[in-house]
Amino acid sequence: MFDQYNRRINYLRISVTDRCNLRCTYCMPEVGITQIPHDQILTFEEIVEFTKIAVRLGFEKVRITGGEPLVRKGIVELVRMISNIEGIADFGMTTNGTLLSNFAQDLFKAGLKRINVSLDTLNPEKYSQITRVGKLSDVLEGLDHAKKVGFNPIKLNCVVEKDSSEPDALAVKEFAQRNGFIARFIPKMDLDEGTHGVVEGGEGGNCSTCNRLRLTANGILKPCLFSDSGFNIRELGFEKAIEMTIKHKPACGMINLSGEFYNIGG
Ligand code: SAM
Ligand code: SF4
């Protein structure tokens, strides 16, 4: 489907949970997160049914995100259900990678072949500072498992202050080259301020070619990360919600005062 600016909208990002085992400084407040009550979270059946309708309407690319997708109970089953949907050309997941050692093999067997792992630094102390509670070694082990199991491509999402010339980013770039991973550099965004930049090595951040819709864990379909607008798929019906959201996709987003990265999925 095309929006009013003639952009072909064919990429669906699904946040399967707003919960996370980390507390990255740029994504989550340290305390006081209001979590979506369990009974409001979309069921697997709803997610799969919605995805099937999106695919029928021309969506070809689907990414599972969060919060941290690997903390959603039964995630391997959900991956299996989505990978069985015919018509998805590109199916991936974005994860912080800390639980990947436990999940890589089962996810791969369930049909997931592409994975993006968030990694901002190779300095263990700095990693623990940024994530507040995370251990770098968990991610590195997770990446190792994912590589051995056969994930391809494995991309590294590296959040930078400005660009990839920063020392931590250079280290991530070098680590990626050494291991056959692809590094992408995401300028740190501020939803309240409306600051966003173009992703280096990726497609994100360029409004004129943006092809995405985002589904939150409680069923709000959002036309843009930098917009407060959203459409409830349960209230409107799945197809109508997709149509309305595409219709209301802004040329370029401004600010988002009601959402955070962890509940929209980045
Ligand atoms: N928990 C998973 C992870 O960290 O990969 C998936 C969800 S996370 C919200 C998705 C992506 O958004 C991650 O790559 C993360 O680095 C990025 N992100 C979060 N907050 C950001 C911010 N303020 N600016 C730029 N990227 C951000
Ligand atoms: Fe969790 Fe990902 Fe947000 Fe970090 S960026 S707090 S890992 S959802």
Side-chain angles (χ1 to χ4, degrees):
M1 290 175 88
F2 287 83
D3 73 356
Q4 54 175 327
Y5 304 101
N6 213 29
R7 295 173 296 197
R8 183 153 174 250
I9 312 301
N10 62 357
Y11 176 10
L12 175 65
R13 294 177 66 96
I14 306 171
S15 169
V16 295
T17 179
D18 61 332
R19 286 149 216 254
C20 187
N21 57 338
L22 301 185
R23 290 283 177 276
C24 301
T25 49
Y26 46 67
C27 178
M28 284 220 187
E30 189 165 13
V31 284
I33 307 155
T34 3
Q35 292 185 328
I36 301 170
H38 276 293
D39 60 357
Q40 286 180 25
I41 301 278
L42 293 176
T43 64
F44 287 179
E45 288 69 27
E46 284 173 310
I47 293 173
V48 170
E49 199 45 41
F50 180 85
T51 307
K52 280 185 183 163
I53 290 175
V55 169
R56 183 158 53 71
L57 294 173
F59 281 72
E60 297 162 325
K61 185 169 172 181
V62 174
R63 173 162 300 274
I64 294 184
T65 174
E68 173 47 41
L70 298 183
V71 306
R72 172 93 192 237
K73 213 166 149 227
I75 186 67
V76 174
E77 189 48 32
L78 178 64
V79 162
R80 185 172 299 117
M81 289 161 86
I82 296 178
S83 68
N84 281 335
I85 299 173
E86 260 176 56
I88 302 176
D90 181 343
F91 176 38
M93 176 186 280
T94 300
T95 168
N96 63 35
T98 53
L99 302 170
L100 208 45
S101 304
N102 307 335
F103 281 99
Q105 181 125 41
D106 290 345
L107 289 170
F108 194 79
K109 277 198 203 144
L112 188 74
K113 306 289 178 240
R114 310 165 69 98
I115 203 147
N116 288 16
V117 176
S118 298
L119 182 65
D120 302 338
T121 177
L122 285 157
N123 175 325
E125 286 80 41
K126 196 143 180 212
Y127 183 83
S128 297
Q129 264 168 27
I130 296 172
T131 59
R132 293 197 181 105
V133 290
K135 257 174 70 190
L136 178 67
S137 55
D138 291 341
V139 188
L140 300 183
E141 278 168 31
L143 279 166
D144 201 41
H145 270 78
K147 189 173 162 181
K148 286 201 178 110
V149 161
F151 276 94
N152 186 23
I154 297 175
K155 295 189 181 175
L156 303 179
N157 281 4
C158 178
V159 172
V160 292
E161 292 299 329
K162 274 207 180 77
D163 60 43
S164 66
S165 66
E166 294 156 22
D168 284 313
L170 288 174
V172 170
K173 196 183 271 182
E174 193 272 328
F175 172 78
Q177 274 163 0
R178 200 157 19 95
N179 288 282
F181 306 145
I182 298 166
R184 311 154 73 240
F185 302 92
I186 309 171
K188 194 184 285 177
M189 303 181 227
D190 187 325
L191 295 177
D192 296 355
E193 302 278 331
T195 45
H196 57 101
V198 175
V199 175
E200 227 180 293
E203 294 155 358
N206 189 346
C207 303
S208 67
T209 56
C210 182
N211 57 355
R212 309 165 179 206
L213 297 189
R214 294 175 159 85
L215 181 63
T216 67
N218 57 343
I220 308 299
L221 191 61
K222 298 192 66 72
C224 174
L225 189 52
F226 285 85
S227 158
D228 287 307
S229 121
F231 297 86
N232 189 316
I233 66 166
R234 283 173 170 150
E235 286 168 10
L236 286 164
F238 296 174
E239 191 161 342
K240 183 84 186 153
I242 294 172
E243 280 168 16
M244 296 276 285
T245 311
I246 290 182
K247 203 164 146 195
H248 285 85
K249 195 168 162 65
C252 203
M254 303 296 277
I255 51 168
N256 184 339
L257 299 176
S258 56
E260 302 281 353
F261 271 87
Y262 72 90
N263 57 29
I264 310 177

